[in-house]
Amino acid sequence: MLLPVAVLLPLGVATLLLVCAHLLPSRVSTMAAIVTALTVAAICVLLARAALAGPLVHWFGGWTPATSGRPDVVLGISLMADPASAAVAAFTCLMFAASFVFAWGYFDEVHSHFEVLMLLFLAALVGFCLTHDMFNLFVWFELMSVAAFALTAYPLGKSSLEGAFNFTITNALGSFMMLAGVGLLYARTGTLDFTTMARVVTAHGADPVLSGGFCLVAAALLTKGAIVPFHLWLSDAHAVAPSPVSVIFSGIMVSAALFVLAKIAMQIFAHDPPVMALVRNLLLWLGLATAIVGGAMAYAQRHLKRLLAFSTIAHLGIMLTAVSAASPRGMAALLLYMFGHGLVKGTLFMLAGVLLALRASADEIVLYRKGRDLLPAGIAMTFAGLMLGGLPVGLMHQATDILDELSPAMMTAAIVASALTGAAVLRAAARIFFGVSGAPGPEMTAPTERERERDERPLWLMLLPCAALLAMALAQGAAIDRFIGFAAPRLIDPAADASAPVAAHSSPTSYLPIALTLVLALLSAVRRRPVRPFPRSLVRLELFPFRALRFLHSGLVADYVAWMIVGFAILAGMLSWS
Amino acid sequence: MTAPWRLVLLAAALIVLVPSVWHVAAALPPFGHPSAQYGPAINAILPAARHVTNMVAAVNFDVRGFDTLGEECMLVCAVTGAVVLLRGARGERDEARAGHVPGRAVLARSDATVLVCRITATLTLLFGVYMALHGTVTPGGGFQGGVVAASSFMLLYLGEGYRAWRRIIRGRAMDALEGGGAFLFAVAAAVPLVIGRPALTNVLPFGQLKDLFSGGLMVVVNFCIFLSVTGSFGLLLLEFMEETRSPAEDSVPDEADR
Amino acid sequence: MSIFPWLVPAWLFAIGIYGIVTSRHYVHLIGCLTVCQSATYVLLLSIGYAWGAGPPIFYDHPPSTPAVDPVMQALVLTDIVVGAAVTALLLVIAIQVHKRRGTLDPQRLRPLRPDQ
């Protein structure tokens, strides 16, 4: 069975590279890492195709449910591949392969330790998507987190270390909450396996212990998935991590957390009324709030990576609204959005890395007109910004169309987030590559710092993965529709045999995001510094909400933890009162 | 946010949480009367199925061995990360001189310290190995034994002094132990796949109950974990101790210079 | 009143959070994180505990003697390893921050704001 190989292979290669760290030249370890990532991607694609006929299960150690001799007691751990999980795992490996190609020659000093950390990260993400056991989920969540902490702090600059510290403290608290949640779920259901737990939860119905357990696990996954008010760590961490690593963070790590939240909510708690009420109501509003806060903060940034980090937060809000739909169409929108957004965001972070390497800065105001001779990068960034802003082609647009039909709140979230983030990226691209800029608005006083990355890689090698990812984000077609249509209902119930309609009818509202994006970008390009008193007071009024938001995003870990507990109280409060 | 407002926010959140926590605590199974059947099933089935007497080890190395593989790799990952972060600033010179804080006297180690440390370090190492080898029969196992064995390295430093200690404990050896242990664990998990059984199946003979080498593949997994944990904590100890040497030569890269 | 054993982990977690929020030193903060973690140990072990049952080691007793839940103990063992790993990484970050900033006060260390 290929299923355990998808996790065991990267673990084995990573530990072998660690043993041979000093013996191998660094190019060999990078090649080995790329080959491993592509091999696991191929394995996951095969698994996804095979899973269309029925979910693939693998019981470790041969400890199948029959070996316990008791009903509802499952002794072993299983991996289960349904088409959606295998597709997400394959997508993960693809992003890693692109990141390895982009990082060629970046981490020469550390003798393949970078490849070791990244391959362990890859194994953890694949295990996270494919596992069917609660505690095994926690183990892969931890491995994913630890690898991310170490990789974030790698540049060893002041901001990287402090950003990594904030990241570690908040996410470690999240993982303690997840462990407590797993304990509570075990106390009530007596099992850690998803299928058996679902059976027991359906039999029990509403129960405070089950609600408490779900609340804790959801708080942890919402922390990793950067939803308001658990989101404060992400802007610090993604902005200071090395660019190849930020590609993975924004491209797949954070959206995988929301994917698994959807999986747990739908597969285990589908017949638990208070939990499903929480998912359908609170998660929708949290997603909308996240989209608005993330979009507004992204618009008011000048440091490119911090801008992209906030735009990731905004789009994660949209993904959470798709999760809250709790239906096959919602899951289809989630999958399409994950893939589309991951590809586009990965491209953008790579382009930020190109600017850091070749122009020694990531600040769009400092870089004004400095990218004029990097035209291919400029075109790529403009195109990616348009796609973020709702260009009517490709995976992201198809997902947005589905969301528009599902609920007006989702449509609002999608429009606001797309417009603000797309306009921010277009504004940055216009400033850096085309020399077109108005007077700086709220982004002038945003936090920023000087930094650079190694520049020994040729431009074409850095742009190659960008072009590949962007081309994949444009994918559209009947084959994708068919696959997602099969995968989405099987995410909710692996034994289902229905198919969800994925093609959405294009309505005039689907052009609203791109129109708004272009309007905002145009406004920022023609903006002039106000001289007369009335426009000046308007500008001061405009600055006020951005200043308030920036005050809340203070960079202090104590604030972050306080907001996390507030968020947890909101979740618990909603569950208690329903 | 200023400190008082932060505390007000935190207090408000905790107050809102109190009724929910009380609600959940009241609904949990009464303390001391667990309703879960998973544990009793393990206690009933495993001694006969695998001929081991330590149920925690049976759960860790056999029934839920895949979790342990992930956790082992997580330890490897954390130590690798720590090494990258410390060596990245310090460089990889293998310096054998202890650091010296200017103005502080360097006292010679007394003979009593050296003697006691030599005896206790040996005994601690032996005890760690003993605890690891008997993992499947008595309390203990690879993790606990590995940590005890690694702590004997600290006693060795106290007794021998920095230079002699560095000659005994080598960074490359710790690296190989750590990575090698985890790699062998991954291989042991993959070997049953080659013969057509599910991964991590216990394919070795189980031995006799209460015997030292009972449990089949558990013995191998236990030993791999012992090697890996010893290597990991030894490497951590090494890297932290390296931070104490030669502070004047430390090069701290500034953003403008890189 | 069998509710009190379940309130102990909640109290430990709350105290740890209070310590983190009011901390003025990175190493103290890391210690408070460890307190939060020990709350999870206590919770898990309490879930597995059974009155009148012994440890799940059958060397001196026959295998059918009542024993506590070994699965919870295995989970706590994994949790301890996780805690050790994360603490080591945090301490390394603290060492490097101290070298660059000279201070370990969380109230004065903010990423991407070099002059504040």
Side-chain angles (χ1 to χ4, degrees):
Chain A
M1 290 290 283
L2 277 181
L3 201 42
V5 176
V7 182
L8 290 175
L9 183 64
L11 287 179
V13 173
T15 45
L16 189 60
L17 280 180
L18 188 60
V19 172
C20 312
H22 291 277
L23 308 169
L24 290 173
S26 57
R27 297 287 183 260
V28 172
S29 47
T30 315
M31 280 311 301
I34 297 177
V35 166
T36 311
L38 290 173
T39 314
V40 182
I43 292 176
C44 292
V45 167
L46 287 172
L47 288 173
R49 295 235 330 252
L52 286 172
L56 305 170
V57 187
H58 182 93
W59 289 96
F60 278 89
W63 290 100
T64 56
T67 50
S68 69
R70 298 165 196 218
D72 278 349
V73 175
V74 168
L75 295 181
I77 300 175
S78 68
L79 290 182
M80 180 187 280
D82 56 273
S85 307
V88 173
F91 177 69
T92 308
C93 301
L94 199 68
M95 294 294 290
F96 268 87
S99 174
F100 281 133
V101 171
F102 182 72
W104 188 275
Y106 183 106
F107 291 95
D108 270 344
E109 293 137 2
V110 288
H111 282 298
S112 77
H113 282 144
F114 167 70
E115 278 84 17
V116 170
L117 289 172
M118 288 287 269
L119 281 175
L120 289 172
F121 198 2
L122 170 66
L125 273 168
V126 171
F128 190 61
C129 295
L130 292 177
T131 187
H132 211 61
D133 179 280
M134 274 312 245
F135 190 70
N136 200 236
L137 187 79
F138 170 75
V139 169
W140 298 125
F141 183 82
E142 270 311 310
L143 180 56
M144 195 164 103
S145 306
V146 168
F149 303 156
L151 287 166
T152 305
Y154 170 78
L156 287 174
K158 295 184 193 139
S159 288
S160 305
L161 292 167
E162 289 155 27
F165 192 82
N166 292 354
F167 182 14
T168 309
I169 297 287
T170 46
N171 281 265
L173 275 176
S175 65
F176 298 157
M177 291 203 271
M178 183 186 247
L179 189 57
V182 170
L184 285 180
L185 289 173
Y186 175 81
R188 174 59 74 222
T189 61
T191 178
L192 292 167
D193 174 65
F194 283 5
T195 322
T196 321
M197 204 184 271
R199 249 200 323 266
V200 177
V201 167
T202 310
H204 273 284
D207 183 273
V209 177
L210 292 174
S211 306
F214 178 77
C215 190
L216 285 162
V217 172
L221 291 172
L222 290 177
T223 304
K224 184 64 89 181
I227 301 298
V228 160
F230 304 99
H231 69 292
L232 295 157
W233 60 270
L234 192 150
S235 51
D236 290 343
H238 289 208
V240 302
S243 306
V245 175
S246 294
V247 167
I248 300 296
F249 282 177
S250 277
I252 182 62
M253 179 182 84
V254 287
S255 34
L258 293 183
F259 171 73
V260 166
L261 179 64
K263 199 179 189 185
I264 290 178
M266 300 312 298
Q267 284 188 6
I268 301 180
F269 289 95
H271 299 282
D272 185 338
V275 168
M276 289 318 286
L278 183 84
V279 168
R280 290 205 165 94
N281 298 324
L282 185 63
L283 290 191
L284 178 65
W285 297 112
L286 282 182
L288 182 57
T290 310
I292 295 175
V293 167
M297 286 299 288
Y299 193 74
Q301 297 300 319
R302 57 192 281 184
H303 188 266
L304 207 52
K305 283 167 72 174
R306 204 166 151 83
L307 192 161
L308 293 172
F310 275 113
S311 85
T312 302
I313 295 178
H315 291 276
L316 284 169
I318 299 178
M319 283 188 244
L320 188 64
T321 59
V323 170
S324 75
S327 68
R329 294 206 81 206
M331 297 301 124
L334 174 70
L335 286 171
L336 286 168
Y337 212 94
M338 270 178 74
F339 295 149
H341 171 257
L343 292 167
V344 172
K345 199 44 72 64
T347 309
L348 283 169
F349 267 109
M350 285 186 190
L351 290 168
V354 165
L355 285 170
L356 273 170
L358 298 178
R359 294 290 177 268
S361 176
D363 184 323
E364 68 176 72
I365 294 181
V366 167
L367 283 174
Y368 177 61
R369 305 192 84 178
K370 296 236 173 77
R372 265 169 308 158
D373 44 347
L374 292 174
L375 198 57
I379 295 176
M381 189 162 172
T382 313
F383 204 60
L386 285 170
M387 291 197 68
L388 267 190
L391 194 67
V393 288
L395 296 166
M396 270 176 86
H397 179 74
Q398 195 173 1
T400 323
D401 272 345
I402 302 180
L403 286 175
D404 286 353
E405 290 183 8
L406 281 174
S407 143
M410 293 182 202
M411 186 165 74
T412 318
I415 293 175
V416 168
S418 307
L420 285 169
T421 55
V425 173
L426 284 176
R427 179 191 72 207
R431 253 186 203 141
I432 299 174
F433 295 102
F434 304 112
V436 171
S437 167
E443 69 269 14
M444 190 67 193
T445 48
T448 183
E449 71 169 6
R450 278 184 313 140
E451 58 182 294
R452 65 173 306 152
E453 291 184 354
R454 292 175 58 130
D455 59 353
E456 281 125 25
R457 299 159 283 164
L459 181 62
W460 68 266
L461 186 60
M462 289 196 277
L463 287 180
L464 191 64
C466 295
L469 292 184
L470 215 47
M472 279 190 270
L474 287 169
Q476 233 172 331
I480 296 179
D481 286 355
R482 207 167 38 237
F483 178 75
I484 300 285
F486 273 120
R490 282 160 186 73
L491 181 58
I492 297 178
D493 177 12
D497 53 1
S499 175
V502 167
H505 308 291
S506 216
S507 63
T509 50
S510 68
Y511 298 101
L512 211 48
I514 188 70
L516 204 53
T517 306
L518 291 172
V519 164
L520 281 175
L522 199 63
L523 279 178
S524 63
V526 303
R527 188 189 178 112
R528 293 282 167 263
R529 201 165 283 126
V531 177
R532 271 175 283 184
F534 178 60
R536 275 168 80 165
S537 46
L538 267 184
V539 164
R540 257 197 295 269
L541 203 63
E542 177 205 30
L543 268 180
F544 176 68
F546 291 114
R547 274 228 188 92
L549 275 177
R550 202 172 287 151
F551 177 69
L552 291 173
H553 290 74
S554 59
L556 297 173
V557 67
D559 283 351
Y560 294 5
V561 171
W563 283 112
M564 273 180 75
I565 302 297
V566 168
F568 183 52
I570 294 175
L571 279 174
M574 291 295 310
L575 269 175
S576 302
W577 292 335
S578 64
Chain B
M1 273 197 300
T2 52
W5 281 110
R6 194 182 301 143
L7 280 177
V8 164
L9 196 64
L10 183 66
L14 288 175
I15 288 172
V16 169
L17 278 172
V18 164
S20 311
V21 168
W22 193 272
H23 210 40
V24 171
L28 274 168
F31 178 75
H33 300 282
S35 61
Q37 288 303 305
Y38 192 170
I42 298 268
N43 285 339
I45 297 175
L46 261 301
R50 294 287 182 265
H51 302 192
V52 291
T53 50
N54 184 348
M55 292 298 104
V56 182
V59 171
N60 259 334
F61 302 139
D62 189 335
V63 180
R64 300 190 69 91
F66 192 48
D67 277 347
T68 312
L69 177 61
E71 168 201 350
E72 184 49 56
C73 291
M74 194 211 62
L75 188 60
V76 164
C77 185
V79 173
T80 307
V83 162
V84 164
L85 294 179
L86 284 175
R87 278 191 208 162
R90 197 178 60 224
E92 295 207 17
R93 308 186 312 270
D94 239 352
E95 185 69 62
R97 270 181 37 243
H100 173 231
V101 178
R104 211 185 265 182
V106 177
L107 303 169
R109 287 183 318 285
S110 72
D111 288 337
T113 311
V114 178
L115 181 64
V116 167
C117 282
R118 281 182 186 170
I119 295 176
T120 49
T122 321
L123 286 177
T124 310
L125 184 62
L126 279 178
F127 186 65
V129 176
Y130 158 79
M131 206 155 61
L133 280 182
H134 285 71
T136 49
V137 284
T138 46
F143 284 110
Q144 297 92 320
V147 176
V148 171
S151 57
S152 72
F153 298 154
M154 184 56 133
L155 287 168
L156 213 53
Y157 158 73
L158 281 175
E160 302 303 317
Y162 197 84
R163 182 169 294 171
W165 183 64
R166 283 306 310 270
R167 254 185 267 134
I168 304 172
I169 310 289
R170 296 191 177 275
R172 306 269 170 102
M174 293 292 132
D175 254 336
L177 266 184
E178 176 193 31
F183 178 63
L184 285 175
F185 190 170
V187 166
V191 157
L193 283 176
V194 172
I195 61 176
R197 310 279 295 282
L200 212 58
T201 313
N202 208 330
V203 291
L204 294 177
F206 296 150
Q208 269 185 344
L209 195 67
K210 297 194 197 178
D211 186 38
L212 181 59
F213 293 113
S214 56
L217 197 68
M218 272 192 247
V219 174
V220 174
V221 168
N222 191 19
F223 186 64
C224 293
I225 290 182
F226 169 67
L227 289 180
S228 189
V229 171
T230 312
S232 300
F233 280 99
L235 193 57
L236 261 185
L237 197 62
L238 193 68
E239 291 297 326
F240 272 92
M241 290 300 286
E242 290 275 277
E243 283 295 309
T244 62
R245 64 167 165 76
S246 315
E249 294 170 53
D250 214 32
S251 59
V252 176
D254 187 25
E255 279 91 324
D257 295 339
R258 279 195 290 131
Chain C
M1 287 291 268
S2 76
I3 197 176
F4 286 120
W6 306 120
L7 295 180
V8 170
W11 171 248
L12 281 175
F13 195 75
I15 278 288
I17 295 286
Y18 173 77
I20 292 178
V21 170
T22 55
S23 174
R24 297 304 297 264
H25 197 278
Y26 264 12
V27 180
H28 168 263
L29 205 156
I30 295 170
C32 294
L33 195 67
T34 313
V35 170
C36 288
Q37 186 167 32
S38 41
T40 56
Y41 303 156
V42 173
L43 179 67
L44 288 176
L45 290 172
S46 308
I47 289 172
Y49 185 72
W51 287 120
I57 315 280
F58 299 124
Y59 195 76
D60 294 326
H61 311 283
S64 49
T65 41
V68 298
D69 194 334
V71 177
M72 282 292 125
Q73 306 208 339
L75 265 51
V76 170
L77 195 58
T78 308
D79 193 10
I80 294 175
V81 174
V82 164
V86 172
T87 307
L89 212 47
L90 280 170
L91 288 172
V92 167
I93 294 178
I95 288 179
Q96 298 290 32
V97 168
H98 182 75
K99 278 193 209 158
R100 279 153 186 72
R101 292 283 213 127
T103 175
L104 281 178
D105 186 352
Q107 317 277 11
R108 283 168 47 197
L109 292 166
R110 311 161 181 246
L112 279 181
R113 295 162 181 83
D115 36 25
Q116 287 176 19

